[in-house]
């Protein structure tokens, strides 16, 4: 989960709280058909009179929220740190299984054997000419009275998963946020990074990109620190919500998706596998030793870096030393030994079977594994999932059965590289692509205030009640990735809050959540309410609440953006414009079909023709699939979605038309005829998938 800091208070939560108590059900018991009503007529109206409308159960669902239930689950899930592959995380899985089973939802564990990474030995010492080497403790301090002090002994030592084992002792270069543009600036100032230790700060790009960029610039090792300016602008935990001086953000540096030893296929027992050595040697791995350090350690290193003063926007906050570029005279000696080992992970899968369309799936997912205690990331989401499940169980006692099947998933090893969800999607790819209506993800459920939602655009209308601002699911930040980017399933990712300072540190515990994240656990209830409401609408409404006109708008916005970037270049956008127009016509056709169905309903209120409804729903469901292409993005074949994908330079960044973006970036550097021809090629590719989507949506052949 990406850690953008800052708050988004632009969205109101109030529309989610039911304004009026739910209407009473149209109870079966009080149904007294008129004596004149003949059987056939009765049958026509029976459905309407007896079964409460989906909106009744939606209101009831909203009225059943319980902050105490959410808090109790969060406390139980976060008593111990529970890193993927550990016994503590298997126990957390048991909590999820027993909760869902006790609600009578058939629940199972789906295990996989995957490559995880643990630290074995680490050391980091700082020296400079005329100054003795001092070794950093590399420990996050507990505080007096910390109820989790004893359990914190189980927290994994600070490390970067999949960093190469090895050592480097060299002068330090300061690289700001470690982006490609930061290294370009260093080169322009004549600072040679080759063979040096790069020191970068967290905050703008995925940490795997920070290490990769350091490696690509020639660095022998990378160190990433948490700058006080960005993570501790106020009182530090436990006196405030911000990152303590010794706090360290740990995390993965793998840039790929899923188990590195089973690219493209599932890691089920006895499966084919590439060797660990081969998996560690790919370009998606960091390839150099690297360590994360605290704000305090980062400043100590920066105090000893000389050379030119870094630009204003590279500087730290008040009280920080003047940041200089280096290299040296500070020397860092970093040693790291990791253990890359095959471990067992557990996804928990729970199924609430649909009554009318059991072969259509609405999937809700959240991960369970955490770097430390995981109170915000991810178990605020897990607590919301379990609280939501308890509400669904209460709906069942009131006679509710979903029209379509609802599947609750609790993923494992997300933190290492979205592994649990990806293996499951890869294993079930053919079933999921033919049957899944939508995937609804919640990772960090609560970390602050303000609803933060991203979606594929046909779900915009549905989410508008919940969130005014809807981003796009292009980035690789969480478990929606395999669903959208690998197999093209309409998806949503939502949260309350959009970033928090103690992310991936020792301090992401129940105390932090109770004091600062969500003191009354009402935000947990709100996130469960949005999540469940969207799920209920998708599972229960006769016609899927998808609206592709937002998609057309988004595709057009993307085309305008490309147009600006290729101005004056030999690139023709008319195939793209034509395909978008084609999709627009399909949207209008669907609109008129919907109107026709409603007219039909007016004359015969019992039911629409189920086959017509099914046909329309299937087209609405399958249109997103058509945006995927078998070969995938150029050079990134796992990413099959041609419209949304992560930026090549920041795994957390979302791109519209990622293939075109990659090609434009390359062409702008190379500026050759061939490089602009590949931009044109990528434009043809996206135009082709948009035309396919238009055909699926309109249900026509050429
Ligand atoms: C950077 O340093 C390396 C090793 O010292 C050297 O091989 C390389 O040519 C240098 N690069 C530049 C641009 O000076
Ligand atoms: C770097 O640190 C390691 C571990 O403490 C030590 O064995 C090694 O000698 C040091 N290297 C240098 C060049 O100081
Ligand atoms: C690596 O992990 C495996 C599995 O937990 C363990 O058996 C092995 O001893 C570990 N190796 C090292 C060097 O710690
Ligand atoms: C739940 O909310 C009520 C107020 O509505 C509050 O009294 C109670 O303490 C909350 N529970 C938790 C666990 O915060």
């Amino acid at each position: 989960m990406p850690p953008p800091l800052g708050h988004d208070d632009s969205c109101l939560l109030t529309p989610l709280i039911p304004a009026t108590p739910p209407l009473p059900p149209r109870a079966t018991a009080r149904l007294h058909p008129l004596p004149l009503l003949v059987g056939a007529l009765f049958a026509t109206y029976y459905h309407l009179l007896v079964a409460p409308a989906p909106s009744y159960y939606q209101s009831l669902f909203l009225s059943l929220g319980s902050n105490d239930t959410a808090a109790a689950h969060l406390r139980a899930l976060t008593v111990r740190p529970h890193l993927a592959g550990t016994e503590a995380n298997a126990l957390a899985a048991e909590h999820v299984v027993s909760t869902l089973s006790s609600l009578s939802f058939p629940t199972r564990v789906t295990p996989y054997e995957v490559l995880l990474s643990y630290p074995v030995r680490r050391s980091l010492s700082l020296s400079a000419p005329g100054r003795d080497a001092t070794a950093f403790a590399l420990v996050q301090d507990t505080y007096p009275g910390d109820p989790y002090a004893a359990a914190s002994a189980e927290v994994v030592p600070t490390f970067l998963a999949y960093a190469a084992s090895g050592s480097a002792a060299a002068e330090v270069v300061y690289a700001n946020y470690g982006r490609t543009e930061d290294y370009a600036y260093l080169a322009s100032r004549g600072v040679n990074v080759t063979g040096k230790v790069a020191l970068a700060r967290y905050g703008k790009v995925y940490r795997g990109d920070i290490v990769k960029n350091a490696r690509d610039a020639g660095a022998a090792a990378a160190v990433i620190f948490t700058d006080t300016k960005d993570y501790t602008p106020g009182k530090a935990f436990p006196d405030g919500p911000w990152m303590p001086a010794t706090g360290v953000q740990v995390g993965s540096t793998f840039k790929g998706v899923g188990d590195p030893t089973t690219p493209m296929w599932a890691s089920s027992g006895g499966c084919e596998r590439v060797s660990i050595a081969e998996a560690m040697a790919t370009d998606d791995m960091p390839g150099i030793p690297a360590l994360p350090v605290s704000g305090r350690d980062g400043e100590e290193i920066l105090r000893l870096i000389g050379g030119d003063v870094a630009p204003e926007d590279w500087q730290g906050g008040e009280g920080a030393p003047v940041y200089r570029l280096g290299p040296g005279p500070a020397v860092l000696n970093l040693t790291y030994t990791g253990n890359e080992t095959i471990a067992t992970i557990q996804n928990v899968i729970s199924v609430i079977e649909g009554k009318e369309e059991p072969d259509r799936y609405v999937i809700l997912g959240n991960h369970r594994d955490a770097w430390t205690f995981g109170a915000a990331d991810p178990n605020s989401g897990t607590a919301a999932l379990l609280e939501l499940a308890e509400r669904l169980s209460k709906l069942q006692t009131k006679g509710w059965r979903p029209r379509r099947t609802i599947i609750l998933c609790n993923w494992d090893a997300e933190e290492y590289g979205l592994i649990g969800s990806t293996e499951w999607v890869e294993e079930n790819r053919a079933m999921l692509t033919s049957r899944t209506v939508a995937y609804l993800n919640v990772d960090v459920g609560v970390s602050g205030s303000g609803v933060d939602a991203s979606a594929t655009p046909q779900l915009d209308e549905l989410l508008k009640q919940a969130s005014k601002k809807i981003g796009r699911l292009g980035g690789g930040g969480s478990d929606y990735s395999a669903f959208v980017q690998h197999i093209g399933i309409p998806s949503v990712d939502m949260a309350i809050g959009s970033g928090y300072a103690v992310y991936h540190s020792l301090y992401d515990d129940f105390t932090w959540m109770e004091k600062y994240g969500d003191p009354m656990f009402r935000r947990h209830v709100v996130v469960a309410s949005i999540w469940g409401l969207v799920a209920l609408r998708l599972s229960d409404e006769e016609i899927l609440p998808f609206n592709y006109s937002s998609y057309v708008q988004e595709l057009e916005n993307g085309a305008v953006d490309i147009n600006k970037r290729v101005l004056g270049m030999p690139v023709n956008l008319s195939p793209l414009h034509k395909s978008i127009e084609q999709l627009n016509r399909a949207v209008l056709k669907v609109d008129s079909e919907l109107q026709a169905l409603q007219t039909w309903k007016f004359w015969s209120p019992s039911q629409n023709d189920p086959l017509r409804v099914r046909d329309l729903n299937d087209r609405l469901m399958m249109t997103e699939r058509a945006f995927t292409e078998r070969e995938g993005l150029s050079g990134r074949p796992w990413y099959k979605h041609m419209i949304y994908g992560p930026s090549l330079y920041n795994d957390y960044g979302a791109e519209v038309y990622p293939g075109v973006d990659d090609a434009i970036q390359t062409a702008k550097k190379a500026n050759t005829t061939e490089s602009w021809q590949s931009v044109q090629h990528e434009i043809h590719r996206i135009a082709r998938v948009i035309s396919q989507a238009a055909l699926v949506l309109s249900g026509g052949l050429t």
Side-chain angles (χ1 to χ4, degrees):
M1 177 72 195
L5 278 170
H7 295 285
D8 173 14
D9 284 313
S10 61
C11 310
L12 297 174
L13 302 182
T14 32
L16 293 162
I17 314 299
T20 45
L23 300 166
R26 296 178 200 140
T28 332
R30 271 179 272 133
L31 182 72
H32 300 298
L34 295 171
L36 282 178
L37 210 61
V38 292
L41 194 53
F42 176 77
T44 308
Y45 286 89
Y46 177 86
H47 174 82
L48 265 192
L49 292 174
V50 174
S55 62
Y56 164 70
Y57 288 117
Q58 290 162 16
S59 304
L60 185 59
F61 174 82
L62 291 177
S63 73
L64 291 171
S66 162
N67 64 335
D68 289 336
T69 301
H73 283 303
L74 187 67
R75 196 187 278 283
L77 287 161
T78 59
V79 283
R80 290 169 68 186
H82 47 286
L83 186 57
T86 65
E87 183 222 354
N89 202 35
L91 289 175
E94 272 177 31
H95 176 83
V96 174
V97 170
S98 69
T99 302
L100 295 170
S101 303
S102 75
L103 302 172
S104 325
F105 299 145
T107 302
R108 60 180 180 270
V109 167
T110 311
Y112 294 102
E113 308 279 312
V114 303
L115 185 70
L116 300 184
S117 165
Y118 303 99
V120 178
R121 265 187 303 279
R122 315 155 303 147
S123 73
L124 185 69
S125 63
L126 175 66
S127 62
R131 189 181 183 277
D132 285 345
T134 51
F136 291 106
L138 306 178
V139 169
Q140 306 181 77
D141 293 339
T142 56
Y143 56 92
D146 181 355
Y148 292 98
S152 75
E154 272 184 71
V155 168
V156 70
T158 56
F159 82 122
L160 294 171
Y162 306 107
S165 294
S167 63
E171 289 181 326
V172 192
V173 168
Y174 171 53
N176 195 24
Y177 292 107
R179 298 164 295 189
T180 47
E181 60 263 42
D182 296 323
Y183 285 101
Y185 177 78
L186 285 172
S188 78
R189 295 292 300 268
V191 177
N192 189 342
V193 182
T194 304
K196 305 288 191 275
V197 175
L199 175 71
R201 52 184 178 178
Y202 273 119
K204 300 286 188 213
V205 293
Y206 171 57
R207 77 185 76 67
D209 290 297
I210 298 180
V211 180
K212 179 190 192 302
N213 293 339
R215 179 194 71 196
D216 290 352
V223 173
I224 314 178
F225 76 107
T226 298
D227 198 327
T228 304
K229 176 185 161 190
D230 296 324
Y231 289 81
T232 320
K235 279 191 177 159
F237 186 71
D239 303 315
W242 303 99
M243 183 73 121
T246 63
V248 176
Q249 182 191 125
V250 307
S252 182
T253 52
F254 175 45
K255 271 178 60 73
V257 179
D259 174 18
T261 65
T262 62
M264 302 275 187
W265 66 93
S267 306
S268 35
C271 70
E272 181 186 10
R273 223 176 254 287
V274 305
S275 74
I276 296 176
E278 218 178 308
M280 288 300 290
T282 67
D283 201 46
D284 282 337
M285 288 295 179
I288 54 174
L291 281 176
V293 299
S294 67
R296 195 168 74 185
D297 294 352
E299 274 192 13
E300 198 174 326
I301 299 166
L302 279 154
R303 258 190 209 101
L304 291 189
I305 299 180
D308 290 344
V309 172
E312 191 52 42
D313 57 348
W314 287 42
Q315 293 297 327
E318 231 173 279
V322 173
Y323 293 179
R324 293 170 182 274
L325 302 177
V331 168
L332 277 176
N333 176 7
L334 181 157
T335 69
Y336 176 72
T337 308
N339 185 9
E340 280 67 50
T341 179
I342 301 288
T344 304
I345 61 167
Q346 294 101 4
N347 290 336
V348 179
I349 310 284
S350 192
V351 180
I352 308 170
E353 199 177 58
K355 196 161 109 196
E356 278 107 333
E357 298 185 80
D359 62 340
R360 288 294 174 265
Y361 307 148
V362 174
I363 303 178
L364 283 68
N366 151 268
H367 74 95
R368 181 185 64 257
D369 64 301
W371 289 114
T372 66
F373 295 95
D377 184 4
N379 301 123
S380 53
T382 321
L385 184 72
L386 297 180
E387 197 270 334
L388 177 163
E390 298 208 8
R391 289 195 236 177
L392 294 183
S393 163
K394 287 183 187 143
L395 292 194
Q396 280 198 326
T397 66
K398 303 268 192 242
W400 169 80
R401 287 278 306 280
R403 178 187 175 97
R404 306 182 180 88
T405 294
I406 294 177
I407 305 178
L408 308 177
C409 303
N410 185 230
W411 312 118
D412 202 347
E414 186 269 359
E415 295 293 3
Y416 279 91
L418 321 179
I419 293 178
S421 59
T422 299
E423 298 313 305
W424 193 73
V425 168
E426 287 172 348
E427 184 164 45
N428 296 287
R429 180 177 49 80
M431 280 291 279
L432 292 172
T433 48
S434 58
R435 296 180 163 200
T436 309
V437 165
Y439 174 68
L440 312 175
N441 193 62
V442 171
D443 184 325
V444 179
V446 181
S447 66
S449 61
V451 176
D452 195 46
S454 318
T456 48
Q458 72 277 65
L459 288 159
D460 283 3
E461 280 302 315
L462 182 52
L463 273 171
K464 264 192 186 137
Q465 267 184 297
S467 167
K468 285 184 194 156
K469 207 178 91 201
I470 298 159
R472 289 292 158 246
L473 280 180
S478 192
D479 291 307
Y480 54 77
S481 189
F483 287 91
V484 188
Q485 293 154 10
H486 191 55
I487 62 174
I489 286 173
S491 297
V492 173
D493 183 49
M494 51 204 149
I496 300 204
S498 57
Y500 64 107
V502 299
Y503 168 80
H504 285 193
S505 78
L506 174 70
Y507 311 100
D508 184 1
D509 65 14
F510 190 84
T511 310
W512 184 90
M513 184 58 78
E514 198 177 29
K515 278 183 116 154
Y516 305 109
D518 194 5
M520 295 289 229
F521 290 87
R522 292 209 195 109
R523 290 168 178 165
H524 280 73
V525 174
V526 172
V527 89
S529 291
I530 307 172
W531 201 4
L533 187 60
V534 171
L536 284 174
R537 291 202 52 195
L538 288 163
S539 65
D540 289 355
E541 290 183 11
E542 184 182 37
I543 313 257
L544 291 175
F546 285 178
N547 183 339
Y548 279 91
S549 59
S550 306
Y551 229 124
V552 169
Q553 191 55 53
E554 286 295 309
L555 296 174
E556 263 168 13
N557 294 346
V560 168
D561 189 53
I562 293 180
N563 194 32
K564 280 188 208 139
R565 296 172 64 196
V566 301
L567 224 54
M569 294 302 164
V571 174
N572 178 2
L573 293 189
S574 61
L576 177 57
H577 291 304
K578 258 191 222 156
S579 67
I580 297 174
E581 186 42 45
Q582 207 184 334
L583 185 63
N584 192 39
R585 281 196 299 276
V587 171
L588 297 176
K589 176 169 181 273
V590 165
D591 283 349
S592 61
E593 280 179 65
L594 278 170
Q595 269 163 17
L597 279 173
Q598 270 144 21
T599 314
W600 171 248
K601 202 168 187 173
F602 177 80
W603 292 112
S604 172
S606 66
Q607 259 180 342
N608 283 311
D609 173 354
L611 286 178
R612 263 180 85 184
V613 169
R614 177 75 171 212
D615 166 62
L616 178 57
N617 281 337
D618 278 358
R619 282 150 48 205
L620 289 167
M621 173 178 83
M622 294 307 285
T623 299
E624 183 79 37
R625 245 62 109 219
F627 291 127
T628 63
E629 219 228 34
R630 210 169 307 175
E631 285 172 29
L633 297 178
S634 303
R636 296 192 278 167
W638 186 86
Y639 292 99
K640 312 263 182 228
H641 204 289
M642 294 285 112
I643 311 299
Y644 294 113
S647 154
L648 195 53
Y649 304 96
N650 173 18
D651 201 55
Y652 286 162
E655 284 296 342
V656 186
Y657 305 138
V660 179
D661 179 71
D662 291 352
I664 291 178
Q665 300 224 27
T666 307
K668 290 217 155 159
K669 278 183 212 140
N671 203 18
T672 57
T673 312
E674 297 77 49
S675 64
W676 287 107
Q677 274 166 356
S678 35
V679 174
Q680 188 67 57
H681 170 63
E682 293 295 337
I683 286 171
H684 281 298
R685 290 184 79 197
I686 57 174
R688 287 196 288 266
V689 297
I690 296 168
S691 294
Q692 295 281 352
L695 290 175
V696 173
L697 189 58
S698 64
L701 299 168
T702 60

